[in-house]
Amino acid sequence: MTPAAVGQLVRSLEEWLDTPLFHRTNTGKARLIPTEAAEHALPDIRNGFDKLMLGLERLQQGSVNQTLTVAMSPSFAEKWLLLRLESFQTLDTNTTVRLDTNLSLVDFAAQHIDIGIRYGQGQWPGLVAEKLMGEEVYPVCSAQFLEQRTLHQPEDLLCVPLIHDGSLGTHAGFPTWSDWLNKARVNGGNKAQHLQINNSAAVLQSAVDGHGVALARSVMVKRELDDGRLIRLFPNIALESALAYYLVYRPECSTWPKIQSFKAWLFSEVKRG
């Protein structure tokens, strides 16, 4: 809707309620500032809409054919879930899965998200969080890159380009090259060449293409290791991430059959490795 159309709806609502909802200012750029009464009423109105949406969603649970909306990062979808999703669709033929691959945190109720897979420390307000799996990080590179370099000990990494996964930015607990080099007791990491990429899948592809050594996340890199496109370096050095993958959903939706079915399948896939 255009701003003008929204403004007309607001004015119609104010006429129907016989009370103003906004103070209108024309100083500089025109602004709408909610009145004190509107601010006070908003939480109750929002709760009412949330309950209405929940009631409609519960009615839909009686449908034979259901849609399950799952939120996750694009990289997790590409590197882990999509490789396995066919088995769930075979197992539960009545549920259609819709993936919402959005990097930003979403409002599950407002955006009709049924369940999500998030990477972090397990605390998201308003959501139940169940740990799905942890992971470790380690250096990887292509076979061709390894053939052309001398990488016999961790100190040798200071002489090659190091590829960083910047997808979580400064997220507390997200492992970095500095963390891994400290674990390997290597000093002088600031002297190395660095390449920062803010997408986990692109980090791995850059290593596959021979642009350097990537600090890979074990959950994301399994396929590349299995098919030989990447090789793990220094496997005797293990660095567990303080972050993990969590299954998250609204507490009021925990008993929905489609969520219980998807949860059970996910945990069975994790056990299979």
Side-chain angles (χ1 to χ4, degrees):
M1 298 179 65
T2 64
V6 173
Q8 182 59 46
L9 285 174
V10 170
R11 285 189 288 273
S12 297
L13 181 59
E14 288 177 323
E15 291 175 5
W16 184 78
L17 292 170
D18 195 25
T19 187
L21 298 176
F22 295 94
H23 300 295
R24 292 163 173 82
T25 66
N26 292 316
T27 56
K29 187 177 181 180
R31 295 178 59 202
L32 293 179
I33 302 174
T35 63
E36 185 177 348
E39 290 274 19
H40 184 70
L42 182 59
D44 291 331
I45 294 171
R46 181 179 287 125
N47 288 337
F49 276 113
D50 287 345
K51 289 181 179 179
L52 176 61
M53 290 172 61
L54 180 61
L56 293 173
E57 289 170 346
R58 283 177 173 161
L59 286 174
Q60 291 175 331
Q61 300 311 305
S63 171
V64 174
N65 296 308
Q66 305 176 79
T67 297
L68 178 75
T69 302
V70 187
M72 69 196 64
S73 71
S75 295
F76 186 85
E78 177 187 347
K79 295 295 184 181
W80 197 88
L81 187 71
L82 288 175
L83 304 177
R84 299 165 170 81
L85 193 56
E86 185 179 354
S87 67
F88 174 74
Q89 294 172 317
T90 301
L91 181 70
D92 189 338
T93 57
N94 293 326
T95 300
T96 299
V97 177
R98 183 176 75 86
L99 299 185
D100 186 318
T101 55
N102 195 326
L103 286 174
S104 61
L105 297 182
V106 296
D107 183 325
F108 275 41
Q111 296 179 244
H112 305 284
I113 303 296
D114 295 309
I115 197 166
I117 299 171
R118 286 186 174 171
Y119 187 64
Q121 296 179 325
Q123 297 177 341
W124 292 277
L127 297 175
V128 176
E130 297 184 38
K131 186 175 180 179
L132 186 62
M133 56 184 160
E135 70 176 356
E136 62 176 315
V137 296
Y138 41 71
V140 297
C141 68
S142 69
Q144 184 179 7
F145 185 89
L146 188 58
E147 289 173 1
Q148 298 171 353
R149 306 294 193 288
T150 301
L151 298 177
H152 298 315
Q153 54 190 3
E155 288 81 1
D156 296 332
L157 291 173
L158 301 181
C159 301
V160 299
L162 302 181
I163 306 170
H164 298 249
D165 185 344
S167 60
L168 290 183
T170 57
H171 194 297
F174 187 55
T176 65
W177 264 114
S178 293
D179 296 323
W180 191 91
L181 291 171
N182 287 336
K183 178 78 173 181
R185 299 181 179 179
V186 175
N187 297 318
N190 58 324
K191 299 177 183 178
Q193 305 173 53
H194 298 284
L195 172 63
Q196 185 115 192
I197 302 175
N198 66 346
N199 180 285
S200 296
V203 166
L204 297 180
Q205 188 58 49
S206 183
V208 169
D209 293 340
H211 297 309
V213 178
L215 189 64
R217 295 157 55 183
S218 57
V219 172
M220 296 289 185
V221 77
K222 185 178 185 303
R223 179 170 57 175
E224 285 80 1
L225 293 177
D226 288 346
D227 62 23
R229 283 183 292 159
L230 289 175
I231 297 172
R232 178 178 178 177
L233 304 175
F234 315 113
N236 58 312
I237 300 174
L239 177 61
E240 294 289 333
S241 174
L243 309 182
Y245 294 89
Y246 288 85
L247 202 58
V248 295
Y249 50 88
R250 289 176 288 159
E252 62 267 26
C253 305
S254 60
T255 59
W256 291 0
K258 64 181 181 180
I259 287 182
Q260 291 183 329
S261 173
F262 192 70
K263 273 178 54 179
W265 172 78
L266 270 178
F267 280 108
S268 68
E269 285 297 308
V270 170
K271 285 184 178 179
R272 286 177 54 191

